[in-house]
Amino acid sequence: MVISKLKSVNIDPKQLKNITKYIETIDKDDDLFPIVEEIAHNPNAFWLNIENYIEFFDPDNLNEMENVGKDMRSVDTRKASLETTKYKVLNGNIVFK
C-alpha cells in the first residue's frame, strides 16, 4: 500500500526514509507542526490523503532543507556578550638586562 501511494503522487519510494527523517525534525516552532500532529494522531489519514500532505514533504523541498541544514551547521553560533564577558588587562613593563 505504501509504495503504491507514494507512486500515485509521483514520489520515488526510496524517498520515504528522507521524508520520515524530515518529519522527525519538525518541532513546535515550525509551521508544519500542526500537520505533523495530525499525522501522529492518525497515520492512516496521511496515507489515505497523501495527495494533500505530500506538497509539504516533497523530496525537492527536502533536498533544499537538507542543504540549508548543512549550511546552518557550518555557521558558528557562539554568542559573546560584552556585558557578561570578563576582561583581565595585563599591563606591565618587561625589562631584560
Side-chain angles (χ1 to χ4, degrees), residues 71-82 84-85:
D71 291 342
M72 288 175 65
R73 282 191 296 270
S74 66
V75 173
D76 187 4
T77 58
R78 293 179 289 174
K79 296 179 182 177
S81 169
L82 293 175
T84 59
T85 301

Side-chain angles (χ1 to χ4, degrees), residues 4-88:
S4 64
K5 284 292 190 177
L6 289 170
K7 287 181 178 179
S8 73
V9 289
N10 300 320
I11 300 295
D12 182 4
K14 294 176 186 174
Q15 292 294 325
L16 182 59
K17 181 178 178 181
N18 294 337
I19 293 170
T20 55
K21 282 186 176 185
Y22 176 62
I23 290 172
E24 289 175 355
T25 65
I26 296 171
D27 63 4
K28 292 179 182 178
D29 297 330
D30 199 303
D31 293 338
L32 294 177
F33 188 72
I35 295 169
V36 172
E37 278 189 314
E38 284 180 32
I39 294 169
H41 291 300
N42 189 358
N44 289 331
F46 174 78
W47 293 111
L48 294 173
N49 303 303
I50 192 167
E51 61 279 350
N52 299 330
Y53 290 106
I54 202 62
E55 67 185 78
F56 303 110
F57 309 112
D58 183 9
D60 292 334
N61 293 339
L62 298 180
N63 289 335
E64 184 61 33
M65 292 305 289
E66 187 175 307
N67 292 337
V68 169
K70 287 178 184 174
D71 291 342
M72 288 175 65
R73 282 191 296 270
S74 66
V75 173
D76 187 4
T77 58
R78 293 179 289 174
K79 296 179 182 177
S81 169
L82 293 175
E83 292 81 26
T84 59
T85 301
K86 295 180 181 177
Y87 298 93
K88 288 186 180 180

